[in-house]
Amino acid sequence: MRSTFAGLNTMVSGLSANQMSLDTVGHNITNANTDGYSRQRVNKATTRPETIYTYSGATQLGTGTTVESITRARDEFADKQYWKENSNLKQAESEQTVLGKVETVFEEPTDSSLQTVLNKFWKSFQTLSTNASNYSTRVEVRDSGKELASSIETAQQQLKDLISDNNSSISLKTDSINQITDKILQLNKQIVTIENSGSGYANDLRDSRDLLVDELSGLVSVNVTEKANGSYAISSNGMLLVDGDTRTELTTKSTTDSDFGIQILTITDKSTGVPLTSTSGEVKGLYDSTAQVKDYLEQTTNIAAFFLKDFNDVHKAGFGLNNETGNNFFGSDLDQYGNGLDYSTIAYNTGTSQWSITQYTGGTASTTATGATITITSTEILNQLKVNTDFDAKNGTDLIAAKSATTEGEASGTNALKLAAAFSTATGTTLGTVSLNSYYTGLTGTLGTAKKAIDRSVDNLTTTVTQIEGWRQTTAGVNWDEELTNMLTFQKGYSASARVLTTMDEMLDKLINGTGTVGR
């Protein structure tokens, strides 16, 4: 026969289950605006029934409810999609920022852009060709040449500064990755301890861990695997960043670029030196944008090489007011004994990816200088782009070769026209098969196209990430209407259980205190 007081336990289980459900609703509501929080729910089940024997036979009588677990609502597929696309978005945003800064270096199209300075230099030769004997016109040619050299030098330094900024960012990102993976490691240990001790699911700790993975996915590409014990193993393109109860500490490695002498930072495993080759994320964006900036540095080097070689060759073929010839416009000339760099020999070897030039040494009044081919860096070429210092001496502007022959008059500007034409003539040497104007237009056009492409990519990826985040919130987000409905449901359940318990108490009171004693 069933115990007289058995029904009380049934209703107590109902009170307890509804109380826990109300507590969980309260937890959801108070954390509705907490970053990374996932809505929690109470999973209930019936308790083991009691077998009761009646005149008709055995029957199963329910004994109440029990809370099996409290779990969080989470869409793992949406999480993985978010981590992937968020990583792509942060990479694109990183590249977008740097390309935007590169655009400010060239300042196209503005009055202070390099194109404007080039045009000013070209126009000065156009003016010189009409009145080559005018002193002020020759001064304008010299000074506009200095302005051009200064503009290219400034652009070079600004591009180098961008790479330095990227290095600083890479260093900061490395610290951030280490901090995040350390926190994930600690959360792994706490989650495993709680869940494997039979204390239920560590829902709030899991939320904190997933929020950290969200942050990590913005820095590097991540592949997340949950182990049987509840810990995460996280890798980035094959490198394990966190593996259960261990993690990889990262550091930065600095190498010197052979072309420009600038420092390039990469992220490596601190213990093995193996490089981190992330396929997306801010780190990948910084790597790629550094390579892009270096490409623009190389293109400014080509422009400098054009003026040092091709433009100088045209100038050296002409004659100044004093009929002197063979003078460089940019860079210094060989000295009186033939010592120095011969800019007409500048060449780029695609096989070795190096610039070369002939250097003459050993020349004296009695000894002929000997030439030898040497390798020079891109930085050395850019640094050599200075207007010939001889032009600053007294009557130095007379050396500007505006005429093509000694038989021409002082006002002749035939060679000045050739120098102006050099801007739009394909030389086939330092710039390949295109003219300077076409080369620079191609440079700025490519930059503009790349910036527009990355802008579109950022817009598209932002839309995608926003959509995926919406999917995640559909599952994990707290819905106020739903929670208030649940609150009323559980409140009614609690009240009903309490009412039944009160009724049972009254029945037992009647049984115990209202029933007479036999034989009294």
Side-chain angles (χ1 to χ4, degrees):
M1 181 178 176
R2 187 163 180 264
S3 168
T4 303
F5 298 95
L8 297 177
N9 291 331
T10 300
M11 302 323 300
V12 168
S13 71
L15 288 172
S16 177
N18 282 291
Q19 179 65 61
M20 291 182 69
S21 297
L22 281 170
D23 290 342
T24 302
V25 167
H27 188 54
N28 287 340
I29 291 175
T30 55
N31 285 283
N33 296 316
T34 300
D35 289 340
Y37 179 77
S38 301
R39 175 174 56 89
Q40 295 181 15
R41 59 190 174 196
V42 176
N43 302 308
K44 291 176 281 193
T46 58
T47 54
R48 178 181 295 181
E50 182 179 354
T51 302
I52 301 297
Y53 295 93
T54 68
Y55 290 111
S56 301
T59 186
Q60 299 291 307
L61 179 64
T63 57
T65 186
T66 184
V67 173
E68 288 191 328
S69 63
I70 299 177
T71 57
R72 59 183 190 146
R74 197 80 183 191
D75 186 340
E76 293 183 5
F77 175 76
D79 282 340
K80 291 183 181 296
Q81 285 293 106
Y82 179 86
W83 294 333
K84 176 183 176 182
E85 298 302 336
N86 184 52
S87 193
N88 291 332
L89 172 61
K90 295 305 181 183
Q91 176 189 347
E93 287 179 340
S94 180
E95 292 180 27
Q96 181 188 46
T97 299
V98 176
L99 281 178
K101 292 179 180 179
V102 173
E103 281 190 323
T104 63
V105 170
F106 293 100
E107 298 182 296
E108 301 293 347
T110 65
D111 292 338
S112 57
S113 68
L114 184 56
Q115 181 67 70
T116 301
V117 177
L118 282 168
N119 289 339
K120 182 179 179 180
F121 189 45
W122 170 77
K123 287 179 181 178
S124 70
F125 282 101
Q126 290 281 77
T127 304
L128 183 66
S129 69
T130 61
N131 190 6
S133 61
N134 185 276
Y135 173 73
S136 62
T137 301
R138 288 177 170 271
V139 170
E140 182 182 355
V141 170
R142 180 195 66 189
D143 291 347
S144 60
K146 289 183 177 180
E147 184 179 359
L148 172 63
S150 176
S151 296
I152 293 177
E153 180 183 11
T154 299
Q156 170 205 7
Q157 187 57 53
Q158 288 176 329
L159 291 172
K160 286 184 176 181
D161 289 344
L162 287 182
I163 294 179
S164 178
D165 290 343
N166 277 6
N167 287 341
S168 298
S169 294
I170 288 172
S171 181
L172 291 174
K173 301 307 176 189
T174 304
D175 292 339
S176 295
I177 293 171
N178 282 333
Q179 291 171 7
I180 292 171
T181 55
D182 183 61
K183 290 178 181 178
I184 292 175
L185 175 66
Q186 300 307 319
L187 286 169
N188 268 349
K189 293 177 179 179
Q190 294 177 51
I191 290 168
V192 169
T193 299
I194 291 172
E195 295 186 352
N196 285 268
S197 67
S199 301
Y201 293 100
N203 297 314
D204 294 330
L205 295 180
R206 283 176 170 267
D207 284 342
S208 297
R209 184 175 63 180
D210 284 340
L211 186 60
L212 287 170
V213 177
D214 287 353
E215 188 177 348
L216 184 62
S217 71
L219 297 172
V220 293
S221 57
V222 295
N223 180 41
V224 182
T225 302
E226 183 172 345
K227 295 188 171 185
N229 63 359
S231 65
Y232 272 177
I234 304 174
S235 62
S236 179
N237 197 29
M239 177 182 285
L240 272 173
L241 301 178
V242 180
D243 187 15
D245 58 354
T246 62
R247 76 177 182 97
T248 299
E249 186 174 0
L250 303 176
T251 188
T252 56
K253 178 182 179 181
S254 178
T255 56
T256 303
D257 179 77
S258 59
D259 292 324
F260 299 99
I262 51 181
Q263 298 299 307
I264 304 293
L265 285 190
T266 54
I267 301 176
T268 63
D269 183 330
K270 188 174 183 178
S271 61
T272 66
V274 175
L276 172 67
T277 56
S278 177
T279 57
S280 56
E282 286 188 65
V283 169
K284 181 63 162 55
L286 291 169
Y287 283 173
D288 289 351
S289 59
T290 294
Q292 290 173 319
V293 172
K294 188 171 177 292
D295 182 60
Y296 288 112
L297 267 172
E298 290 170 350
Q299 293 184 67
T300 57
T301 302
N302 294 339
I303 293 173
F306 164 82
F307 284 109
L308 288 170
K309 183 185 187 314
D310 301 320
F311 188 82
N312 269 347
D313 284 348
V314 178
H315 188 267
K316 287 165 68 175
F319 296 83
L321 285 177
N322 54 6
N323 288 329
E324 280 195 36
T325 188
N327 292 311
N328 286 320
F329 189 95
F330 290 102
S332 58
D333 295 314
L334 297 177
D335 69 14
Q336 59 178 328
Y337 302 118
N339 298 302
L341 298 175
D342 182 3
Y343 297 110
S344 66
T345 63
I346 288 179
Y348 185 75
N349 188 327
T350 56
T352 61
S353 298
Q354 291 179 320
W355 289 94
S356 65
I357 192 171
T358 299
Q359 182 180 46
Y360 289 93
T361 58
T364 64
S366 59
T367 305
T368 302
T370 302
T373 300
I374 63 171
T375 297
I376 57 175
T377 65
S378 296
T379 295
E380 288 174 311
I381 290 177
L382 288 164
N383 290 340
Q384 289 293 337
L385 189 65
K386 309 287 184 184
V387 171
N388 194 332
T389 55
D390 291 341
F391 293 176
D392 291 322
K394 184 178 180 181
N395 299 323
T397 56
D398 291 352
L399 297 174
I400 297 176
K403 60 184 181 180
S404 299
T406 57
T407 55
E408 296 177 359
E410 290 185 352
S412 175
T414 54
N415 199 56
L417 282 175
K418 293 179 182 179
L419 287 166
F423 286 79
S424 57
T425 303
T427 61
T429 53
T430 54
L431 300 180
T433 58
V434 298
S435 67
L436 173 64
N437 287 340
S438 296
Y439 187 84
Y440 187 74
T441 300
L443 184 158
T444 55
T446 300
L447 173 58
T449 300
K451 182 58 166 58
K452 288 180 180 178
I454 200 66
D455 287 343
R456 286 194 299 271
S457 180
V458 168
D459 289 341
N460 293 337
L461 286 168
T462 299
T463 300
T464 300
V465 170
T466 301
Q467 186 178 41
I468 295 173
E469 178 60 20
W471 296 343
R472 293 212 302 178
Q473 288 304 312
T474 298
T475 301
V478 176
N479 184 300
W480 288 87
D481 292 336
E482 181 182 356
E483 295 302 325
L484 291 174
T485 300
N486 289 338
M487 181 187 70
L488 293 174
T489 300
F490 299 138
Q491 181 187 22
K492 292 294 185 182
Y494 187 91
S495 297
S497 296
R499 182 58 184 159
V500 173
L501 186 62
T502 300
T503 302
M504 287 184 173
D505 177 65
E506 291 176 355
M507 292 170 61
L508 290 171
D509 178 68
K510 185 66 175 179
L511 176 64
I512 296 170
N513 298 312
T515 303
T517 303
V518 177
R520 175 178 294 176

